């Protein structure tokens, strides 16, 4: 479970219960779709400001629900000034990692 901050999630579970933590995941899943769409739009419009702003928002959301690898990936790319072609590759990798981390979270919560 290297993708997850299981200490943070265990604390949430203890304080909030399975239902609320599951709801947090569901909310993140929906919101991350919005963030990823917005990041893709920043790439299409080649807006460095939008890229940073939208990566920053998603970084905070991923961190708050304990998705370590997604958070770390966003920390690494948020202020990137590399080519837009490279940023497209970052976006693709982010989509893949986000899906994988959500699966890991779902599996983790189902075992609680």
């Amino acid at each position: 479970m290297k993708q997850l901050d299981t200490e943070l999630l265990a604390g949430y579970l203890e304080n909030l219960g399975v239902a609320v933590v599951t709801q947090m995941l569901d909310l993140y899943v929906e919101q991350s779709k919005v963030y990823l769409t917005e990041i893709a739009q920043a790439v299409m419009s080649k807006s460095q400001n939008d890229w940073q702003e939208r990566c920053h928002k998603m970084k905070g959301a991923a961190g708050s629900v304990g998705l370590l690898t997604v958070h770390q990936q966003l920390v690494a790319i948020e202020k990137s000034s590399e080519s837009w072609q490279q940023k497209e590759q970052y976006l693709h990798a982010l989509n893949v990692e986000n899906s994988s981390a959500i699966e890991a979270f779902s599996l983790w919560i189902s075992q609680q």
Side-chain angles (χ1 to χ4, degrees):
M1 291 287 172
K2 68 178 194 259
Q3 292 175 303
L4 305 178
D5 183 343
T6 51
E7 244 179 75
L8 175 71
L9 295 175
Y12 285 162
L13 203 56
E14 187 177 314
N15 291 309
L16 304 171
V18 174
V20 173
V21 175
T22 301
Q23 194 174 21
M24 284 172 52
L25 172 61
D26 293 342
L27 205 61
Y28 174 80
V29 168
E30 291 309 309
Q31 194 57 48
S32 70
K33 291 175 189 173
V34 173
Y35 291 141
L36 289 166
T37 298
E38 290 178 345
I39 294 169
Q41 289 168 344
V43 171
M44 287 190 316
S45 66
K46 294 181 170 56
S47 169
Q48 181 65 23
N49 187 54
D50 287 350
W51 168 268
Q52 287 183 347
E53 187 179 292
R54 290 159 182 179
C55 285
H56 183 77
K57 281 188 203 175
M58 186 171 179
K59 178 181 72 174
S64 71
V65 294
L67 301 185
L68 276 180
T69 52
V70 174
H71 182 266
Q72 291 165 348
Q73 198 168 14
L74 285 156
V75 166
I77 68 171
E78 175 184 2
K79 296 196 169 138
S80 168
S81 58
E82 295 181 48
S83 72
W84 290 104
Q85 186 176 9
Q86 180 62 52
K87 287 179 183 163
E88 280 183 47
Q89 293 174 357
Y90 289 154
L91 176 59
H92 174 72
L94 182 59
N95 270 294
V96 170
E97 185 55 42
N98 192 58
S99 293
S100 178
I102 287 169
E103 280 182 44
F105 192 140
S106 294
L107 177 63
W108 180 83
I109 198 75
S110 73
Q111 295 171 344
Q112 301 310 307

